[in-house]
Amino acid sequence: MNFKKISFVLVLLFSFGARASMILVPMDETSQKNHLKAYGITYWVLSKNYKANWLLNYRGGSFLLPDAQEIRRECQIRGVSFEVLSDGAANSILDEISSPSQNMENVLLEKAPKVAVYTPPGKKPWDDAVTLVLTYAEIPFTPIYDEEVLSDGLLLYDWLHLHHEDFSGQYGKFFGAYRNAPWYIEQKQDAEKLAAKLGFSKVSQEKLAVAKKIRDFVIGGGFMFAMCSATDSFDIALSAEGVDICEPMFDGDPSEANYQSRIDYGATLAFKDFTLERNPLVYEFSDIDTTNKRNILPDVDYFTLMEYSAKWDPIPSMLCQNHTQLVKGFMGQTTAFAGNLVKSNILVMGECKLNGEARYIHGTKGKGMFTFFGGHDPEDYQHRVGDAPTVLDLHPNSPGYRLILNNVLFPAAKKKKLKT
């Protein structure tokens, strides 16, 4: 009996000692089969009340997860590459990362952020790159729109994405090309009905109220992410409070004669000294966007991600994690931002060095933070109205889409006091 007890204890000890304690989800270029779904795995792990570690600059920004059978199984189901590590191997990696000589950092991810997407009712996931990749990565989100925002519904969420919205009340400046298109007429009518329902006489006034609520969400500690026209039109709306910048085909009466002189750049989040586009037939809001000024061939249209000290500047380091520092460019209504019109307190995390345009920028406002990303779809170079949706199964390792997902996971990080 004693011999059996001793044998049983030895077996238990051996099994415990041999058991792997951690799962590494590598994010380098050669090891990971599906970078995008790897973010979904990490989010899922957090949603199950596990903790996770984001290993900044280690093999492309890998994730270190607890070793549990359900996590292994979920990785296998979703096609995410992973490596099972022993205690010793995991500790060796963490020791390497902690070395002062290494530009790496270990960031604890504590809780899955609650994600909202500001998007009109009826929009399909492929109408917007963020909803598309959230769906593909299996990260849950809640669609919200003006009624929820104006009734303080943002208080329920940690992270907010702005769909390709026009906050200036000019219906995306589609009038020149699409004013007779049924979808344009319907969208305009829907926007006017909603504004009236919410007690506003003009769509521009209602969108300004929404923009101010979103700004207050950021000031209060929220994280806001926007792409394409939701970036510059958001700042334009804030800067034009109390000023009529809309022509009669948008709001029924003329704009103010000298409205440019009344623009308040102090009210914006990211941009300064911009000049608005007065012509309603021109598909452009202002000179913030560089689309019409670009002279770059598609084959050489890339932007470079900045490199930061992971230990001293963990926030931009998190937002720039990738398996490449050179990301393929892509266009949109707002493709990129004129570098000279970006405020000096804003971090330019990605820029096209050929023409000095900012593609990927980040800033703080009050207790919160925001990121603006130029372009419409990282894997559709020149997306046009009516184009077929991007199939992300064909782009599971997209560097551009990785930047979006960096922002989604960012609020999960345990906050450290910034050193700079």
Side-chain angles (χ1 to χ4, degrees):
M1 181 64 70
N2 288 340
F3 176 76
K4 287 184 178 179
K5 285 183 179 179
I6 292 171
S7 298
F8 181 68
V9 170
L10 287 175
V11 168
L12 278 180
L13 288 173
F14 177 80
S15 299
F16 182 80
R19 182 179 62 84
S21 62
M22 302 297 285
I23 291 173
L24 179 74
V25 177
M27 296 294 278
D28 54 293
E29 186 169 9
T30 57
S31 302
Q32 184 51 254
K33 292 185 297 185
N34 196 315
H35 287 93
L36 305 186
K37 286 188 178 289
Y39 287 91
I41 285 290
T42 305
Y43 188 98
W44 180 85
V45 165
L46 295 172
S47 71
K48 295 293 184 180
N49 296 318
Y50 293 104
K51 298 289 192 291
N53 297 80
W54 200 348
L55 309 182
L56 305 186
N57 294 346
Y58 178 80
R59 294 178 63 180
S62 300
F63 299 106
L64 192 63
L65 312 176
D67 182 24
Q69 193 60 44
E70 62 176 339
I71 297 176
R72 292 194 197 189
R73 184 171 59 251
E74 201 67 25
C75 287
Q76 292 166 343
I77 291 171
R78 301 193 190 189
V80 172
S81 309
F82 67 97
E83 301 169 11
V84 180
L85 302 179
S86 66
D87 277 332
N91 289 332
S92 178
I93 290 171
L94 295 176
D95 287 343
E96 177 187 356
I97 290 171
S98 67
S99 170
S101 65
Q102 298 292 334
N103 184 21
M104 302 178 186
E105 181 64 306
N106 172 26
V107 173
L108 178 64
L109 302 179
E110 297 187 297
K111 184 181 178 183
K114 294 180 180 178
V115 175
V117 173
Y118 174 83
T119 182
K123 285 289 182 179
K124 307 299 183 186
W126 57 81
D127 289 328
D128 173 68
V130 175
T131 51
L132 180 65
V133 76
L134 288 172
T135 302
Y136 180 74
E138 300 179 58
I139 295 175
F141 64 92
T142 302
I144 63 169
Y145 204 49
D146 293 351
E147 291 181 87
E148 292 87 351
V149 172
L150 292 177
S151 61
D152 293 322
L154 291 179
L155 295 174
L156 300 174
Y157 303 98
D158 304 302
W159 190 86
L160 171 69
H161 165 60
L162 307 184
H163 182 274
H164 301 262
E165 186 67 52
D166 174 6
F167 290 95
S168 73
Q170 298 175 92
Y171 309 104
K173 292 297 289 285
F174 284 117
F175 179 80
Y178 296 103
R179 59 183 175 274
N180 295 319
W183 64 262
Y184 177 85
I185 295 170
E186 182 181 359
Q187 286 185 9
K188 185 174 184 295
Q189 291 173 344
D190 289 345
E192 290 169 347
K193 289 178 183 177
L194 179 59
K197 177 183 177 182
L198 294 171
F200 297 90
S201 59
K202 293 184 178 183
V203 172
S204 58
Q205 295 169 351
E206 189 254 334
K207 290 299 179 186
L208 170 63
V210 171
K212 290 170 67 176
K213 281 285 188 180
I214 294 171
R215 177 202 61 195
D216 293 345
F217 164 76
V218 176
I219 291 173
F223 299 85
M224 186 259 278
F225 179 84
M227 289 186 72
C228 202
S229 59
T231 58
D232 50 353
S233 75
F234 184 84
D235 261 10
I236 287 169
L238 293 176
S239 73
E241 182 174 3
V243 185
D244 189 345
I245 65 171
C246 295
E247 301 304 330
M249 66 284 297
F250 301 130
D251 67 352
D253 59 28
S255 64
E256 295 186 22
N258 297 310
Y259 65 61
Q260 182 64 50
S261 64
R262 296 189 57 197
I263 296 301
D264 180 9
Y265 301 114
T268 65
L269 296 185
F271 304 115
K272 63 177 182 178
D273 303 334
F274 49 85
T275 301
L276 300 182
E277 175 55 64
R278 293 194 69 112
N279 190 340
L281 301 180
V282 175
Y283 182 55
E284 189 61 275
F285 296 107
S286 75
D287 59 351
I288 294 171
D289 176 40
T290 64
T291 299
N292 296 329
K293 298 175 282 188
R294 309 181 88 230
N295 187 24
I296 300 176
L297 295 173
D299 290 346
V300 294
D301 191 359
Y302 286 83
F303 63 94
T304 305
L305 296 176
M306 302 301 176
E307 188 172 359
Y308 298 93
S309 168
K311 290 180 172 63
W312 288 82
D313 293 305
I315 289 174
S317 294
M318 274 185 270
L319 298 179
C320 289
Q321 290 301 291
N322 226 307
H323 50 282
T324 176
Q325 209 170 350
L326 202 61
V327 182
K328 189 75 178 73
F330 53 101
M331 300 182 72
Q333 180 175 15
T334 302
T335 298
F337 319 117
N340 63 315
L341 301 183
V342 177
K343 290 183 175 182
S344 59
N345 63 320
I346 301 300
L347 277 179
V348 176
M349 302 185 298
E351 67 173 352
C352 179
K353 295 184 180 294
L354 289 177
N355 61 359
E357 66 185 12
R359 295 297 308 246
Y360 184 48
I361 64 177
H362 177 74
T364 61
K365 184 72 173 178
K367 297 179 181 179
M369 301 181 187
F370 61 91
T371 301
F372 288 168
F373 194 10
H376 184 94
D377 185 328
E379 295 298 337
D380 185 352
Y381 184 74
Q382 197 169 8
H383 184 86
R384 298 183 185 278
V385 174
D387 279 0
T390 297
V391 179
L392 283 181
D393 272 327
L394 302 177
H395 310 282
N397 310 107
S398 169
Y401 273 102
R402 276 199 67 179
L403 296 178
I404 297 172
L405 293 172
N406 285 340
N407 284 270
V408 177
L409 275 191
F410 169 62
K414 179 178 175 64
K415 303 303 176 289
K416 298 181 179 180
K417 186 177 181 180
L418 287 178
K419 301 171 185 174
T420 59

